[in-house]
Amino acid sequence: MILPKSNRLTPAQLAEVTGIVAEFGCTIQPIIGAMRTIYAIVGDERDDLMINRLEGLDYVERIDRIQSPFKLMDKRSDLASHRICLGGVTLGEELFVIAGPCTIDPKNPNYFYESAAAVKEAGAQMIRGGVWKPRTNPYAFQGDSRSLDILLEGSRRTGLPVDTEVMEESHIGLALEAGVTCLQVGARNALNYSLLRAIGRAVAGRPTAVLLKRSIHMGPVNEFISAAEYIAAFGNPNILLCPRGTAPGLDGYRNHPDESITPLLKEKTWAPVVVDPSHSVGKAAYVPASALAAVAYGADGLCLEAHVSPSHGIGDDPKQALTPRGLAETIRQARALWRLRRGLTAG
Ligand code: PEP
Ligand code: MN
């Protein structure tokens, strides 16, 4: 829909926009109002080049798109009936919880094994553990490929599937070969389109899922869903959208908590929303309330950092990991709220 700056386009302007959209196989239908005329673009209006050219005309106020830029992830797409099953749970039918340490310590694997057991005991359905880590400080521990064996051993010991972040293309094959069920795209790589494409290609035809974090910057929701479309375009729609807080952080918090975008995401896309309160608030003491807020907003799942002994953890764990007891209580309350909310929305 073209909204001109003036009340209507002059004949010369109308001829110009008609010529531009014709190059993209579209036509213009004026919608004549009492005061103002607007101009519908009839045809497939998803070509960004066409929109950019129209937006560049100095007599155009703005272009409103009616078609969604993400055709597969859109709530109106045929994929809306797609169900994602992980760790024995069908997303949307039960609160899905991923939990575990931020970072696996390759020198002390027992912390991970004990944490994995505690995560299972607390009722989570998937274990997380960072093998490769994006660190702001280039001299901080960057992860270690040897931790992949520890991650999978934790999976074998508990019988739970595992999630880990892949930061570069070489990690994808290693993680898939090792048997990782869920590839995590971190907030720093959430708009790395070549990585997203590589993941999409690699997971096509597999039961693998992708946990896609929201990018660190407070980007538009459409940008977040379009990032998921990059993966889905190759054929595997097992994608979980993960708001994790945005920068700049709210005073006193690690990031700006953004669990409140959940209802908006759910209006636009069918993809399950799995909120990460740990990176959002960044302090263990605030995580339980943030997790409940996410569930109240309609999240289908939670991704929580948890460690058997947070002070012995590396990476984020000393600051933001829940203890086994804190995790169990948070999951218990979150499930109770999830059921309560379900009753409310069903009624
Ligand atoms: C993590 O999950 O440990 C992590 C680094 O997350 P994010 O990409 O959201 O910062
Ligand atoms: Mn972390």
mmCIF file of all heavy atoms in Angstrom, residues 101-103 128-130 132-135 163 165 184-190 211 213-214 216 242-245 254-255 276 278-280 303 305 316-317 320, ligand 1:
data_model
loop_
_atom_site.group_PDB
_atom_site.id
_atom_site.type_symbol
_atom_site.label_atom_id
_atom_site.label_comp_id
_atom_site.label_asym_id
_atom_site.label_seq_id
_atom_site.Cartn_x
_atom_site.Cartn_y
_atom_site.Cartn_z
ATOM 1 N N PRO A 101 24.330 -25.714 32.720
ATOM 2 C CA PRO A 101 25.369 -24.693 32.864
ATOM 3 C C PRO A 101 25.520 -23.827 31.626
ATOM 4 O O PRO A 101 25.237 -24.254 30.512
ATOM 5 C CB PRO A 101 26.639 -25.514 33.089
ATOM 6 C CG PRO A 101 26.175 -26.836 33.587
ATOM 7 C CD PRO A 101 24.856 -27.072 32.907
ATOM 8 N N CYS A 102 26.001 -22.614 31.843
ATOM 9 C CA CYS A 102 26.349 -21.735 30.728
ATOM 10 C C CYS A 102 27.433 -22.415 29.907
ATOM 11 O O CYS A 102 27.316 -22.566 28.706
ATOM 12 C CB CYS A 102 26.858 -20.398 31.273
ATOM 13 S SG CYS A 102 27.550 -19.331 29.995
ATOM 14 N N THR A 103 28.487 -22.829 30.614
ATOM 15 C CA THR A 103 29.712 -23.265 29.950
ATOM 16 C C THR A 103 30.183 -24.578 30.582
ATOM 17 O O THR A 103 30.232 -24.678 31.815
ATOM 18 C CB THR A 103 30.808 -22.199 30.154
ATOM 19 O OG1 THR A 103 30.294 -20.943 29.706
ATOM 20 C CG2 THR A 103 32.083 -22.525 29.408
ATOM 21 N N ARG A 128 21.220 -28.061 28.599
ATOM 22 C CA ARG A 128 22.065 -27.158 27.833
ATOM 23 C C ARG A 128 23.475 -27.173 28.428
ATOM 24 O O ARG A 128 23.662 -27.450 29.621
ATOM 25 C CB ARG A 128 21.523 -25.724 27.810
ATOM 26 C CG ARG A 128 21.342 -25.059 29.163
ATOM 27 C CD ARG A 128 21.413 -23.538 29.066
ATOM 28 N NE ARG A 128 22.786 -23.102 28.811
ATOM 29 C CZ ARG A 128 23.115 -22.002 28.147
ATOM 30 N NH1 ARG A 128 22.181 -21.206 27.696
ATOM 31 N NH2 ARG A 128 24.392 -21.686 27.974
ATOM 32 N N GLY A 129 24.443 -26.858 27.587
ATOM 33 C CA GLY A 129 25.813 -26.755 28.063
ATOM 34 C C GLY A 129 26.645 -26.142 26.952
ATOM 35 O O GLY A 129 26.610 -26.613 25.810
ATOM 36 N N GLY A 130 27.365 -25.082 27.268
ATOM 37 C CA GLY A 130 28.140 -24.390 26.255
ATOM 38 C C GLY A 130 29.465 -25.093 26.001
ATOM 39 O O GLY A 130 30.268 -25.284 26.922
ATOM 40 N N TRP A 132 31.305 -24.189 22.843
ATOM 41 C CA TRP A 132 32.017 -23.037 22.263
ATOM 42 C C TRP A 132 31.319 -21.788 22.776
ATOM 43 O O TRP A 132 30.095 -21.695 22.731
ATOM 44 C CB TRP A 132 31.938 -23.088 20.736
ATOM 45 C CG TRP A 132 32.505 -24.352 20.187
ATOM 46 C CD1 TRP A 132 33.821 -24.683 20.085
ATOM 47 C CD2 TRP A 132 31.764 -25.480 19.662
ATOM 48 N NE1 TRP A 132 33.955 -25.936 19.528
ATOM 49 C CE2 TRP A 132 32.708 -26.447 19.259
ATOM 50 C CE3 TRP A 132 30.421 -25.776 19.493
ATOM 51 C CZ2 TRP A 132 32.358 -27.671 18.699
ATOM 52 C CZ3 TRP A 132 30.055 -26.993 18.933
ATOM 53 C CH2 TRP A 132 31.014 -27.925 18.547
ATOM 54 N N LYS A 133 32.070 -20.828 23.251
ATOM 55 C CA LYS A 133 31.446 -19.678 23.913
ATOM 56 C C LYS A 133 31.809 -18.349 23.265
ATOM 57 O O LYS A 133 32.980 -18.064 23.049
ATOM 58 C CB LYS A 133 31.880 -19.608 25.388
ATOM 59 C CG LYS A 133 31.434 -20.752 26.236
ATOM 60 C CD LYS A 133 29.941 -21.003 26.194
ATOM 61 C CE LYS A 133 29.084 -19.872 26.716
ATOM 62 N NZ LYS A 133 27.634 -20.199 26.681
ATOM 63 N N PRO A 134 30.790 -17.523 22.997
ATOM 64 C CA PRO A 134 31.070 -16.163 22.525
ATOM 65 C C PRO A 134 31.370 -15.307 23.742
ATOM 66 O O PRO A 134 30.539 -15.156 24.625
ATOM 67 C CB PRO A 134 29.735 -15.750 21.895
ATOM 68 C CG PRO A 134 28.691 -16.527 22.651
ATOM 69 C CD PRO A 134 29.352 -17.766 23.183
ATOM 70 N N ARG A 135 32.551 -14.772 23.855
ATOM 71 C CA ARG A 135 32.896 -13.987 25.042
ATOM 72 C C ARG A 135 33.260 -12.567 24.628
ATOM 73 O O ARG A 135 34.009 -12.368 23.673
ATOM 74 C CB ARG A 135 34.092 -14.626 25.781
ATOM 75 C CG ARG A 135 33.874 -16.077 26.204
ATOM 76 C CD ARG A 135 32.653 -16.279 27.086
ATOM 77 N NE ARG A 135 32.716 -15.538 28.310
ATOM 78 C CZ ARG A 135 33.347 -15.947 29.416
ATOM 79 N NH1 ARG A 135 33.930 -17.117 29.435
ATOM 80 N NH2 ARG A 135 33.365 -15.187 30.495
ATOM 81 N N ASP A 163 21.328 -29.347 24.109
ATOM 82 C CA ASP A 163 21.377 -28.118 23.296
ATOM 83 C C ASP A 163 22.743 -27.482 23.498
ATOM 84 O O ASP A 163 23.242 -27.417 24.626
ATOM 85 C CB ASP A 163 20.270 -27.183 23.817
ATOM 86 C CG ASP A 163 20.521 -25.706 23.510
ATOM 87 O OD1 ASP A 163 20.177 -25.275 22.408
ATOM 88 O OD2 ASP A 163 21.055 -24.991 24.383
ATOM 89 N N GLU A 165 25.434 -24.147 21.737
ATOM 90 C CA GLU A 165 25.569 -23.076 20.746
ATOM 91 C C GLU A 165 26.641 -23.406 19.718
ATOM 92 O O GLU A 165 27.731 -23.859 20.059
ATOM 93 C CB GLU A 165 25.922 -21.752 21.453
ATOM 94 C CG GLU A 165 26.168 -20.637 20.452
ATOM 95 C CD GLU A 165 26.306 -19.247 21.059
ATOM 96 O OE1 GLU A 165 26.046 -19.072 22.267
ATOM 97 O OE2 GLU A 165 26.685 -18.332 20.295
ATOM 98 N N GLN A 184 22.000 -24.204 19.105
ATOM 99 C CA GLN A 184 21.632 -22.862 19.572
ATOM 100 C C GLN A 184 22.362 -21.813 18.736
ATOM 101 O O GLN A 184 23.554 -21.932 18.484
ATOM 102 C CB GLN A 184 22.027 -22.735 21.043
ATOM 103 C CG GLN A 184 21.690 -21.416 21.680
ATOM 104 C CD GLN A 184 21.975 -21.447 23.189
ATOM 105 O OE1 GLN A 184 21.583 -22.390 23.883
ATOM 106 N NE2 GLN A 184 22.657 -20.450 23.690
ATOM 107 N N VAL A 185 21.597 -20.801 18.295
ATOM 108 C CA VAL A 185 22.219 -19.639 17.648
ATOM 109 C C VAL A 185 22.204 -18.542 18.690
ATOM 110 O O VAL A 185 21.143 -18.144 19.174
ATOM 111 C CB VAL A 185 21.430 -19.182 16.394
ATOM 112 C CG1 VAL A 185 22.137 -18.009 15.735
ATOM 113 C CG2 VAL A 185 21.246 -20.339 15.419
ATOM 114 N N GLY A 186 23.380 -18.059 19.066
ATOM 115 C CA GLY A 186 23.471 -17.072 20.136
ATOM 116 C C GLY A 186 23.067 -15.683 19.674
ATOM 117 O O GLY A 186 22.956 -15.403 18.467
ATOM 118 N N ALA A 187 22.864 -14.811 20.658
ATOM 119 C CA ALA A 187 22.397 -13.450 20.376
ATOM 120 C C ALA A 187 23.377 -12.687 19.487
ATOM 121 O O ALA A 187 22.992 -11.827 18.714
ATOM 122 C CB ALA A 187 22.190 -12.711 21.685
ATOM 123 N N ARG A 188 24.662 -13.022 19.607
ATOM 124 C CA ARG A 188 25.653 -12.302 18.797
ATOM 125 C C ARG A 188 25.629 -12.737 17.344
ATOM 126 O O ARG A 188 26.060 -12.014 16.463
ATOM 127 C CB ARG A 188 27.049 -12.496 19.389
ATOM 128 C CG ARG A 188 27.209 -11.810 20.724
ATOM 129 C CD ARG A 188 28.349 -12.415 21.513
ATOM 130 N NE ARG A 188 28.389 -11.920 22.871
ATOM 131 C CZ ARG A 188 27.597 -12.341 23.852
ATOM 132 N NH1 ARG A 188 26.677 -13.271 23.618
ATOM 133 N NH2 ARG A 188 27.703 -11.856 25.074
ATOM 134 N N ASN A 189 25.164 -13.960 17.101
ATOM 135 C CA ASN A 189 25.126 -14.489 15.727
ATOM 136 C C ASN A 189 23.724 -14.512 15.141
ATOM 137 O O ASN A 189 23.523 -15.043 14.052
ATOM 138 C CB ASN A 189 25.690 -15.912 15.709
ATOM 139 C CG ASN A 189 27.176 -15.912 15.452
ATOM 140 O OD1 ASN A 189 27.655 -15.183 14.585
ATOM 141 N ND2 ASN A 189 27.914 -16.701 16.205
ATOM 142 N N ALA A 190 22.775 -13.940 15.877
ATOM 143 C CA ALA A 190 21.365 -14.089 15.483
ATOM 144 C C ALA A 190 21.056 -13.449 14.128
ATOM 145 O O ALA A 190 20.049 -13.766 13.510
ATOM 146 C CB ALA A 190 20.461 -13.509 16.558
ATOM 147 N N LEU A 211 17.473 -23.536 18.415
ATOM 148 C CA LEU A 211 17.029 -22.508 19.374
ATOM 149 C C LEU A 211 17.669 -21.202 18.912
ATOM 150 O O LEU A 211 18.885 -21.025 19.024
ATOM 151 C CB LEU A 211 17.492 -22.862 20.790
ATOM 152 C CG LEU A 211 17.079 -21.867 21.880
ATOM 153 C CD1 LEU A 211 15.613 -22.041 22.258
ATOM 154 C CD2 LEU A 211 17.928 -22.049 23.145
ATOM 155 N N LYS A 213 18.232 -17.433 19.354
ATOM 156 C CA LYS A 213 18.115 -16.308 20.292
ATOM 157 C C LYS A 213 17.761 -15.040 19.528
ATOM 158 O O LYS A 213 18.104 -14.888 18.351
ATOM 159 C CB LYS A 213 19.438 -16.103 21.019
ATOM 160 C CG LYS A 213 19.892 -17.316 21.826
ATOM 161 C CD LYS A 213 19.444 -17.224 23.245
ATOM 162 C CE LYS A 213 20.118 -18.266 24.121
ATOM 163 N NZ LYS A 213 20.796 -17.690 25.261
ATOM 164 N N ARG A 214 17.142 -14.103 20.245
ATOM 165 C CA ARG A 214 16.904 -12.787 19.653
ATOM 166 C C ARG A 214 18.228 -12.036 19.662
ATOM 167 O O ARG A 214 19.023 -12.173 20.597
ATOM 168 C CB ARG A 214 15.880 -12.024 20.493
ATOM 169 C CG ARG A 214 15.474 -10.705 19.859
ATOM 170 C CD ARG A 214 14.471 -9.972 20.728
ATOM 171 N NE ARG A 214 14.012 -8.747 20.101
ATOM 172 C CZ ARG A 214 13.427 -7.761 20.745
ATOM 173 N NH1 ARG A 214 13.211 -7.858 22.054
ATOM 174 N NH2 ARG A 214 13.041 -6.681 20.119
ATOM 175 N N ILE A 216 21.068 -9.207 20.096
ATOM 176 C CA ILE A 216 21.325 -8.348 21.255
ATOM 177 C C ILE A 216 20.682 -6.969 21.098
ATOM 178 O O ILE A 216 20.146 -6.417 22.048
ATOM 179 C CB ILE A 216 22.846 -8.198 21.464
ATOM 180 C CG1 ILE A 216 23.387 -9.403 22.215
ATOM 181 C CG2 ILE A 216 23.199 -6.925 22.199
ATOM 182 C CD1 ILE A 216 24.864 -9.380 22.464
ATOM 183 N N CYS A 242 13.805 -17.528 20.813
ATOM 184 C CA CYS A 242 14.243 -17.332 22.198
ATOM 185 C C CYS A 242 14.580 -15.868 22.510
ATOM 186 O O CYS A 242 15.721 -15.435 22.327
ATOM 187 C CB CYS A 242 15.448 -18.243 22.462
ATOM 188 S SG CYS A 242 16.055 -18.160 24.151
ATOM 189 N N PRO A 243 13.614 -15.107 23.027
ATOM 190 C CA PRO A 243 13.943 -13.774 23.537
ATOM 191 C C PRO A 243 14.880 -13.928 24.738
ATOM 192 O O PRO A 243 14.651 -14.794 25.592
ATOM 193 C CB PRO A 243 12.581 -13.206 23.970
ATOM 194 C CG PRO A 243 11.550 -14.070 23.295
ATOM 195 C CD PRO A 243 12.194 -15.425 23.171
ATOM 196 N N ARG A 244 15.911 -13.110 24.803
ATOM 197 C CA ARG A 244 16.923 -13.257 25.868
ATOM 198 C C ARG A 244 17.381 -11.911 26.409
ATOM 199 O O ARG A 244 18.449 -11.778 26.970
ATOM 200 C CB ARG A 244 18.106 -14.112 25.381
ATOM 201 C CG ARG A 244 18.646 -13.739 24.032
ATOM 202 C CD ARG A 244 19.505 -12.522 24.005
ATOM 203 N NE ARG A 244 20.806 -12.777 24.579
ATOM 204 C CZ ARG A 244 21.584 -11.823 25.061
ATOM 205 N NH1 ARG A 244 21.206 -10.537 25.003
ATOM 206 N NH2 ARG A 244 22.761 -12.093 25.588
ATOM 207 N N GLY A 245 16.534 -10.887 26.211
ATOM 208 C CA GLY A 245 16.904 -9.545 26.664
ATOM 209 C C GLY A 245 17.702 -8.838 25.589
ATOM 210 O O GLY A 245 18.390 -9.470 24.789
ATOM 211 N N ARG A 254 21.310 -7.259 33.385
ATOM 212 C CA ARG A 254 22.313 -7.519 32.353
ATOM 213 C C ARG A 254 21.844 -6.975 30.997
ATOM 214 O O ARG A 254 22.620 -6.418 30.236
ATOM 215 C CB ARG A 254 22.553 -9.038 32.255
ATOM 216 C CG ARG A 254 23.491 -9.400 31.137
ATOM 217 C CD ARG A 254 23.896 -10.856 31.191
ATOM 218 N NE ARG A 254 24.760 -11.154 30.064
ATOM 219 C CZ ARG A 254 25.449 -12.268 29.923
ATOM 220 N NH1 ARG A 254 25.389 -13.201 30.851
ATOM 221 N NH2 ARG A 254 26.192 -12.474 28.879
ATOM 222 N N ASN A 255 20.580 -7.196 30.705
ATOM 223 C CA ASN A 255 19.996 -6.711 29.451
ATOM 224 C C ASN A 255 18.658 -6.059 29.768
ATOM 225 O O ASN A 255 18.319 -5.881 30.937
ATOM 226 C CB ASN A 255 19.824 -7.885 28.479
ATOM 227 C CG ASN A 255 21.141 -8.269 27.828
ATOM 228 O OD1 ASN A 255 21.717 -7.485 27.070
ATOM 229 N ND2 ASN A 255 21.648 -9.451 28.146
ATOM 230 N N ASP A 276 14.542 -17.021 27.533
ATOM 231 C CA ASP A 276 15.753 -17.213 28.347
ATOM 232 C C ASP A 276 15.837 -16.078 29.383
ATOM 233 O O ASP A 276 16.354 -14.999 29.090
ATOM 234 C CB ASP A 276 16.973 -17.186 27.418
ATOM 235 C CG ASP A 276 18.304 -17.182 28.168
ATOM 236 O OD1 ASP A 276 18.317 -17.004 29.405
ATOM 237 O OD2 ASP A 276 19.345 -17.347 27.503
ATOM 238 N N SER A 278 17.668 -16.070 32.050
ATOM 239 C CA SER A 278 18.991 -16.001 32.677
ATOM 240 C C SER A 278 19.840 -14.887 32.064
ATOM 241 O O SER A 278 20.425 -14.072 32.780
ATOM 242 C CB SER A 278 19.712 -17.338 32.538
ATOM 243 O OG SER A 278 18.945 -18.361 33.124
ATOM 244 N N HIS A 279 19.898 -14.851 30.713
ATOM 245 C CA HIS A 279 20.698 -13.806 30.068
ATOM 246 C C HIS A 279 19.969 -12.472 30.052
ATOM 247 O O HIS A 279 20.582 -11.422 29.919
ATOM 248 C CB HIS A 279 21.093 -14.230 28.650
ATOM 249 C CG HIS A 279 22.052 -15.366 28.673
ATOM 250 N ND1 HIS A 279 21.634 -16.668 28.755
ATOM 251 C CD2 HIS A 279 23.406 -15.389 28.720
ATOM 252 C CE1 HIS A 279 22.694 -17.454 28.815
ATOM 253 N NE2 HIS A 279 23.781 -16.715 28.798
ATOM 254 N N SER A 280 18.657 -12.536 30.189
ATOM 255 C CA SER A 280 17.856 -11.322 30.185
ATOM 256 C C SER A 280 18.129 -10.485 31.443
ATOM 257 O O SER A 280 18.531 -9.332 31.354
ATOM 258 C CB SER A 280 16.392 -11.764 30.110
ATOM 259 O OG SER A 280 15.537 -10.698 30.207
ATOM 260 N N CYS A 303 14.511 -21.345 28.899
ATOM 261 C CA CYS A 303 15.893 -21.825 28.827
ATOM 262 C C CYS A 303 16.607 -21.196 30.014
ATOM 263 O O CYS A 303 16.733 -19.964 30.081
ATOM 264 C CB CYS A 303 16.522 -21.408 27.501
ATOM 265 S SG CYS A 303 18.241 -21.912 27.358
ATOM 266 N N GLU A 305 19.818 -21.099 32.916
ATOM 267 C CA GLU A 305 21.144 -21.561 33.321
ATOM 268 C C GLU A 305 21.073 -22.082 34.746
ATOM 269 O O GLU A 305 20.491 -21.443 35.638
ATOM 270 C CB GLU A 305 22.157 -20.428 33.159
ATOM 271 C CG GLU A 305 22.430 -20.220 31.657
ATOM 272 C CD GLU A 305 23.588 -19.310 31.323
ATOM 273 O OE1 GLU A 305 23.992 -18.500 32.181
ATOM 274 O OE2 GLU A 305 24.092 -19.397 30.190
ATOM 275 N N ASP A 316 29.029 -17.620 32.638
ATOM 276 C CA ASP A 316 28.034 -16.818 33.370
ATOM 277 C C ASP A 316 27.575 -17.447 34.682
ATOM 278 O O ASP A 316 26.832 -16.807 35.439
ATOM 279 C CB ASP A 316 26.773 -16.648 32.495
ATOM 280 C CG ASP A 316 27.034 -15.866 31.230
ATOM 281 O OD1 ASP A 316 27.898 -14.971 31.267
ATOM 282 O OD2 ASP A 316 26.358 -16.142 30.227
ATOM 283 N N ASP A 317 27.934 -18.698 34.918
ATOM 284 C CA ASP A 317 27.294 -19.431 36.011
ATOM 285 C C ASP A 317 27.417 -18.800 37.398
ATOM 286 O O ASP A 317 26.434 -18.761 38.141
ATOM 287 C CB ASP A 317 27.776 -20.884 36.025
ATOM 288 C CG ASP A 317 27.257 -21.626 34.800
ATOM 289 O OD1 ASP A 317 26.088 -21.381 34.442
ATOM 290 O OD2 ASP A 317 28.000 -22.413 34.223
ATOM 291 N N GLN A 320 24.637 -15.982 37.319
ATOM 292 C CA GLN A 320 23.225 -16.138 36.952
ATOM 293 C C GLN A 320 22.669 -17.559 36.983
ATOM 294 O O GLN A 320 21.467 -17.741 36.758
ATOM 295 C CB GLN A 320 22.951 -15.476 35.591
ATOM 296 C CG GLN A 320 23.670 -16.076 34.413
ATOM 297 C CD GLN A 320 23.614 -15.193 33.155
ATOM 298 O OE1 GLN A 320 23.673 -13.980 33.241
ATOM 299 N NE2 GLN A 320 23.499 -15.797 31.990
HETATM 300 C C1 PEP B 1 24.381 -18.607 26.419
HETATM 301 O O1 PEP B 1 23.315 -19.176 26.184
HETATM 302 O O2 PEP B 1 25.200 -18.956 27.281
HETATM 303 C C2 PEP B 1 24.678 -17.361 25.682
HETATM 304 C C3 PEP B 1 25.910 -16.953 25.438
HETATM 305 O O3 PEP B 1 23.556 -16.746 25.306
HETATM 306 P P1 PEP B 1 23.330 -15.412 24.437
HETATM 307 O O4 PEP B 1 23.733 -15.757 23.048
HETATM 308 O O5 PEP B 1 21.848 -15.181 24.586
HETATM 309 O O6 PEP B 1 24.168 -14.325 25.054
#
